[in-house]
Structures are given as structure tokens and as C-alpha cells.
């Protein structure tokens, strides 16, 4: 059997307010927005490192935004690594974004975006 070398190219999240979500992901989380082609519906793309991206899609979300687990590690989530964990944590604190630290003991935290999507941030340093 041939072993395939899969890598994650991007992950997509459903959002309900494009302008607010772009502001959240760029100004609070610190992601870099990159150009996105016209796909027939609104959305935005953010670059993660050299070869990965996070996409947000302004489409009807079939997932509930309430009643989700308090700790994002117990829910579907996207995990991002960052070289300046303290900066991200301070930005979340300054903007009153609630988060919980990883239960694993790693330098990691979980927060939810404006549409209750769970995001994990893991420090690389």
C-alpha cells in the first residue's frame, strides 16, 4: 500500500458578519488577510505560514452557536501554532475575548470567534 503524504492546505469556518469577522481575525487574533477570488459568495482568506490558510465563509451556518462546550478542546476546533503566544494572549485579554488554557499542560489556549467557532492557539517558542 502506498503511503500518501497529506498536508493541511486550509480549513474553512462559517461566519455571519464578514466585516466584523475580518476585523476580529486581523486586529485581535493577528492573522494576515490575503486576496481571495470571487467565488460567488462573500468570504475572506488568511495566510498561515507559507503554505496553509484559514478561510471564513459568509454562508448559513448549520451548527448551533449556543450550547457548545465551554472549553473549545471538547468541540470541533482549528489549531494554530504561533511564535509569539504571549502577544496573542495579551490581545485576547485586551479585547475581552474569553479563553481557557489547554488541559494538557501545553502552552496553548482555546477561544471562540464571533460565531462560536473554536480556535486553539499553541505557542511554538
Amino acid at each position: 500500500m502506498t503511503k500518501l503524504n497529506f498536508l493541511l492546505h486550509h480549513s474553512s469556518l462559517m461566519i455571519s458578519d464578514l466585516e466584523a469577522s475580518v476585523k476580529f481575525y486581523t486586529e485581535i487574533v493577528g492573522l494576515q488577510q490575503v486576496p481571495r477570488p470571487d467565488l460567488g459568495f462573500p468570504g475572506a482568506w488568511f495566510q498561515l505560514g507559507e503554505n496553509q490558510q484559514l478561510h471564513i465563509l459568509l454562508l448559513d451556518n448549520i451548527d448551533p452557536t449556543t450550547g457548545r462546550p465551554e472549553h473549545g478542546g471538547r468541540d470541533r476546533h482549528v489549531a494554530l501554532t504561533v511564535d509569539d503566544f504571549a502577544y496573542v494572549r495579551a490581545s485576547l485579554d485586551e479585547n475581552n475575548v474569553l479563553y481557557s488554557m489547554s488541559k494538557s499542560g501545553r502552552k496553548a489556549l482555546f477561544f471562540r470567534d464571533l460565531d462560536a467557532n473554536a480556535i486553539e492557539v499553541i505557542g511554538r517558542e
Side-chain angles (χ1 to χ4, degrees):
M1 180 174 169
T2 303
K3 282 193 161 189
L4 302 176
N5 183 21
F6 285 100
L7 297 172
L8 181 66
H9 182 272
H10 71 271
S11 185
S12 296
L13 302 172
M14 306 294 205
I15 51 98
S16 61
D17 183 326
L18 183 60
E19 184 177 337
S21 291
V22 167
K23 183 175 181 178
F24 180 84
Y25 278 105
T26 58
E27 295 181 16
I28 296 174
V29 180
L31 298 184
Q32 177 189 2
Q33 187 176 2
V34 295
R36 174 185 182 266
D38 181 0
L39 300 173
F41 60 91
W45 291 358
F46 305 97
Q47 194 65 40
L48 307 172
E50 291 183 34
N51 299 310
Q52 294 88 31
Q53 294 180 343
L54 178 67
H55 297 177
I56 57 174
L57 314 174
L58 185 61
L59 296 170
D60 290 336
N61 188 350
I62 60 169
D63 291 329
T65 58
T66 60
R68 306 296 285 271
E70 183 177 333
H71 180 64
R74 296 188 58 143
D75 198 358
R76 291 182 294 278
H77 63 275
V78 174
L80 309 174
T81 62
V82 68
D83 56 2
D84 194 344
F85 182 81
Y87 175 86
V88 174
R89 187 173 182 183
S91 181
L92 295 175
D93 286 336
E94 289 169 16
N95 290 281
N96 299 312
V97 176
L98 298 176
Y99 60 86
S100 58
M101 298 304 295
S102 175
K103 309 291 186 205
S104 70
R106 295 173 298 139
K107 186 186 289 189
L109 59 81
F110 292 83
F111 66 92
R112 291 191 182 276
D113 72 4
L114 303 175
D115 293 280
N117 294 301
I119 308 293
E120 179 179 9
V121 175
I122 306 165
R124 281 197 304 263
E125 70 259 11

